[in-house]
Amino acid sequence: MLEDLTIKDFALIDSANLEFEKGFTVLSGETGAGKSLLIGALSFLLGGKSGVEQIRPGCHEATVSGTFLLPPEAAAAGAAIPMPDSQHSETEEHEARSAREWLSMHGIEPENDRILLRRYVRENGKSGAWIGGTAVTRADLAAFSAFLVDIHGQHEHQSLMRVSEHRRFLDSYAGLTERVASFTALYTELVEKRRKLSELNANDADRAQKIELLTFAVEEITAAKLKPGEDTELEEEEVRLSSYEKLFADIEAINAALGGGEGGDSIISALKRLRSNAQHASSMDAKALGPLEQRLDSAFYELSDVADEYQRYAQSLVFDPERLTQVQERQTVIYNLKKKYAGSVTSPLDEVLRYAEQAQAQLDAMQSGEEGKEALMQDISRLEKQVYTEAKQISALRVRAAETMSGAVVQVLSKLGMNGTRFSVSLTAKGPAPQQTGAEHTPMQLCGPYGMDNVEFLISANPGSPLQPLAKIASGGELSRVMLALKTIFAASDPVGTLVFDEIDTGIGGEIAVSIGSHLQNLAKNKQVLCITHLASIAVYADNQVKIAKGVSGGTTSTRVFPIAGEERVEEIARMLSGDPASSESIEHARAMLQKYSSRRQ
């Protein structure tokens, strides 16, 4: 429910701050006063189009904000409502099912069951919107506000004009909303499984080729019998074997220097002499030279051990050209494998081994795919039967509900000044018609995500005229009355809490206006209803009345919006009756009408 609306520098409205109550509120004013500006500001707040022309002349920014009281969670649950977009298709259903659920999905918390919407447009064309304290896009604002308000008239929030909504209206009337939601989930599962099967079938040739390539790779890598780190070991061995002569010469030189020959000029021989001299010197000054003698001994033993190791290495050093050839051939095998299966020829050998593991895993998955494909086909067969059976049952219920609903709408329309109007809920098959007797089609051809029916409202507003799509009606007043008829019969199940009617009284008067006022009053038992009207016979049924007046001050035209009650309301009703708010006859007539109708609280 809309609790308050604040408007600043929007069109001709310089400033307005209104509080709204439950029930039926009428918006009235003289012709040209700007009654539709208030609805325009509300439409702007709810995500309607914005433009610099909406800014009050001489100002830099137009802003509109409003506070909405959210319905209790249980009452909020209902059919999912899509974004009010003319390009909306039946496959683009909004996933949230209530205003509270939408807020929860977007991480927005209401305060005391209330949410503040705010929107602005600046002279440079920039605009912004907030839900609570969260900045949102226009699309998000429109999607959320569709749960709160439905505007009927020459405005954007016209769910009746979207054929995709007609199916929702019928399902709501038939009590099928939850059942259709379950069907959609079943249909979605079928679509997904058919998509997977299609991919498997379409990729059979590619799949066979890939299996062949992966098999070859696994076999080639496995046949090589690679060992982790083998490439590094081979590289070290290849360097050693290919540098035999230089390595042998270096080792010989080291051994000659360390071990020495008969001439006694080796490092080991020199150290032996030094140890003898050090021992003799230490005997004369053990305190100072003893530690040095020990260090010299350690160096001697360590170097002697190193000399022995070099001698053993020299004895093991053998030139093996055959082994060198084997190593180089093995390196060539590894090089080619890296070139095929690793990032580069310098990559670690582990990359080749990992490729083999991954290729084998893919092969295993593909080989088990045939079994999975068979199971998938069985699931699809089962789901197709379920989808088709359920779609037929839903369609049968829709057919019965369509007939009842058509009669109910016609009955209400006759009381709203559209006597002789024919209204029909048309159901046509989604799938192709059989080309010959016995022709069969799959459930995917016969059904959509919401069943096997295309639902559209048809109407003939003039006797003798053929039924035509509702969207072809040009009159905003007729559209508003059709919506009023629908909202009357849907009052209990429709989740939208605030209804706004503009131009509902176009071309009517007398008893019809009284009937419309009565219907709006009845509708307001379950909804908050706002209505622009110039007819007193409608206005007197309202619980509340707001007046829109235009004035000129300081050479500037502005529109004022303010609630009226008591004598002010009597005078406004009198003006609506005769154009003369001061006439005693009009005043008395207005007072009598208010006393007769506005006191009727049901």
Side-chain angles (χ1 to χ4, degrees):
M1 184 188 88
L2 175 63
E3 288 193 327
D4 60 64
L5 186 67
T6 300
I7 306 169
K8 180 67 175 175
D9 296 328
F10 185 90
L12 294 178
I13 302 175
D14 55 355
S15 179
N17 191 345
L18 289 170
E19 293 186 359
F20 293 92
E21 302 292 338
K22 295 179 180 179
F24 179 19
T25 297
V26 153
L27 311 174
S28 65
E30 295 184 0
T31 301
K35 295 185 292 296
S36 291
L37 291 181
L38 189 63
I39 304 302
L42 180 59
S43 180
F44 170 76
L45 175 63
L46 299 176
K49 294 180 180 178
S50 66
V52 295
E53 69 278 2
Q54 294 169 317
I55 303 173
R56 179 174 163 78
C59 299
H60 304 293
E61 177 182 275
T63 62
V64 182
S65 63
T67 304
F68 290 84
L69 175 65
L70 301 176
E73 190 60 49
I81 298 177
M83 278 175 37
D85 188 330
S86 60
Q87 301 301 316
H88 171 83
S89 70
E90 206 173 5
T91 59
E92 299 172 332
E93 184 172 12
H94 188 67
E95 55 189 0
R97 299 181 64 79
S98 70
R100 289 180 183 271
E101 185 178 345
W102 193 98
L103 292 175
S104 177
M105 290 167 57
H106 291 78
I108 302 174
E109 288 290 334
E111 294 185 10
N112 298 321
D113 294 325
R114 289 167 173 80
I115 195 72
L116 174 68
L117 306 187
R118 182 164 62 92
R119 194 176 183 205
Y120 73 81
V121 59
R122 293 176 180 159
E123 59 183 346
N124 61 4
K126 182 180 179 181
S127 64
W130 286 264
I131 298 177
T134 302
V136 296
T137 64
R138 177 194 166 202
D140 282 339
L141 182 64
F144 172 67
S145 65
F147 290 103
L148 305 176
V149 180
D150 214 344
I151 299 180
H152 313 296
Q154 300 300 324
H155 294 278
E156 296 174 65
H157 284 62
Q158 294 185 42
S159 58
L160 188 59
M161 297 297 288
R162 297 190 294 273
V163 176
S164 61
E165 294 298 285
H166 296 180
R167 192 268 311 163
R168 300 174 195 274
F169 277 116
L170 177 60
D171 287 345
S172 176
Y173 182 79
L176 291 172
T177 299
E178 294 299 328
R179 185 165 179 176
V180 172
S182 297
F183 174 86
T184 301
L186 191 68
Y187 180 88
T188 301
E189 183 182 358
L190 173 59
V191 169
E192 178 62 20
K193 288 185 181 294
R194 286 184 63 90
R195 183 191 64 78
K196 290 180 179 178
L197 179 62
S198 178
E199 287 180 355
L200 289 175
N201 290 335
N203 294 331
D204 273 350
D206 293 340
R207 180 170 169 272
Q209 184 179 13
K210 191 168 185 179
I211 288 176
E212 183 179 352
L213 292 173
L214 291 172
T215 301
F216 178 82
V218 170
E219 290 178 350
E220 184 178 27
I221 296 172
T222 302
K225 298 181 180 179
L226 302 174
K227 296 184 297 183
E230 182 181 359
D231 53 341
T232 302
E233 294 176 3
L234 288 171
E235 184 179 354
E236 294 173 353
E237 187 176 1
E238 194 271 339
V239 170
R240 184 173 68 250
L241 291 171
S242 62
S243 305
Y244 173 81
E245 292 182 2
K246 187 176 185 307
L247 178 60
F248 182 80
D250 288 341
I251 296 300
E252 282 292 299
I254 292 172
N255 282 332
L258 288 176
E262 296 299 326
D265 57 349
S266 70
I267 295 174
I268 299 300
S269 298
L271 282 176
K272 286 181 179 180
R273 292 192 297 270
L274 287 174
R275 284 184 67 220
S276 177
N277 293 336
Q279 185 179 9
H280 185 262
S282 176
S283 65
M284 292 180 283
D285 189 356
K287 183 176 181 181
L289 300 177
L292 295 176
E293 180 193 0
Q294 293 175 2
R295 291 171 65 185
L296 191 59
D297 284 345
S298 296
F300 171 77
Y301 291 125
E302 177 65 21
L303 202 55
S304 296
D305 186 59
V306 169
D308 291 342
E309 291 290 336
Y310 273 107
Q311 287 287 344
R312 284 192 290 273
Y313 181 82
Q315 293 170 4
S316 67
L317 195 58
V318 178
F319 178 60
D320 189 349
E322 184 177 349
R323 175 57 185 166
L324 176 59
T325 300
Q326 292 174 350
V327 168
Q328 291 173 337
E329 289 176 350
R330 184 65 172 169
Q331 284 182 307
T332 300
V333 170
I334 291 176
Y335 175 90
N336 290 331
L337 291 174
K338 285 185 177 181
K339 191 174 181 179
K340 287 184 179 180
Y341 307 118
S344 71
V345 294
T346 59
S347 299
L349 187 59
D350 286 349
E351 286 193 19
V352 177
L353 296 171
R354 280 198 300 272
Y355 184 92
E357 292 176 0
Q358 293 168 358
Q360 186 62 57
Q362 290 184 55
L363 281 172
D364 293 342
M366 289 181 174
Q367 289 166 357
S368 63
E370 285 301 320
E371 298 178 4
K373 182 177 177 180
E374 182 64 29
L376 188 61
M377 293 174 65
Q378 292 177 1
D379 284 345
I380 288 172
S381 178
R382 172 183 56 82
L383 285 170
E384 283 183 337
K385 292 177 182 177
Q386 286 183 259
V387 164
Y388 185 65
T389 299
E390 181 65 4
K392 284 180 63 179
Q393 293 177 1
I394 289 174
S395 182
L397 294 171
R398 281 176 176 159
V399 169
R400 290 198 291 270
E403 184 177 354
T404 305
M405 177 179 162
S406 297
V409 172
V410 168
Q411 185 177 8
V412 176
L413 287 176
S414 66
K415 298 177 181 178
L416 298 179
M418 297 180 70
N419 198 18
T421 296
R422 289 185 296 145
F423 181 91
S424 174
V425 181
S426 170
L427 275 74
T428 57
K430 282 186 176 294
Q435 299 302 311
Q436 58 187 21
T437 304
E440 294 184 357
H441 299 285
T442 68
M444 295 300 292
Q445 294 174 303
L446 297 173
C447 300
Y450 309 109
M452 58 173 52
D453 307 303
N454 290 315
V455 181
E456 185 172 9
F457 295 164
L458 304 177
I459 193 168
S460 171
N462 301 306
S465 298
L467 288 165
Q468 292 185 332
L470 189 63
K472 291 188 176 181
I473 295 180
S475 167
E478 287 179 330
L479 278 174
S480 291
R481 276 179 275 171
V482 172
M483 180 56 77
L484 176 56
L486 291 172
K487 291 295 182 178
T488 298
I489 64 176
F490 295 155
S493 59
D494 187 358
V496 177
T498 299
L499 308 178
V500 181
F501 293 92
D502 189 8
E503 300 185 353
I504 197 170
D505 55 8
T506 301
I508 64 168
E511 293 182 3
I512 297 172
V514 171
S515 180
I516 289 177
S518 176
H519 268 83
L520 289 171
Q521 188 182 66
N522 288 334
L523 186 59
K525 292 188 296 182
N526 297 304
K527 307 288 181 183
Q528 181 188 44
V529 176
L530 308 180
C531 176
I532 289 180
T533 185
H534 67 280
L535 295 180
S537 48
I538 291 178
V540 292
Y541 280 93
D543 302 298
N544 318 288
Q545 190 160 346
V546 173
K547 185 174 181 179
I548 295 94
K550 183 186 291 185
V552 179
S553 177
T556 301
T557 302
S558 64
T559 294
R560 295 170 53 237
V561 183
F562 52 94
I564 56 175
E567 286 303 307
E568 276 189 303
R569 187 179 182 194
V570 172
E571 291 175 3
E572 175 64 7
I573 295 296
R575 182 200 64 76
M576 298 172 74
L577 284 168
S578 65
D580 183 3
S583 166
S584 59
E585 291 83 0
S586 297
I587 291 290
E588 289 305 316
H589 190 188
R591 186 174 284 113
M593 290 181 69
L594 285 168
Q595 184 175 3
K596 179 178 180 181
Y597 297 112
S598 66
S599 60
R600 288 170 59 181
R601 299 292 181 263
Q602 300 180 25

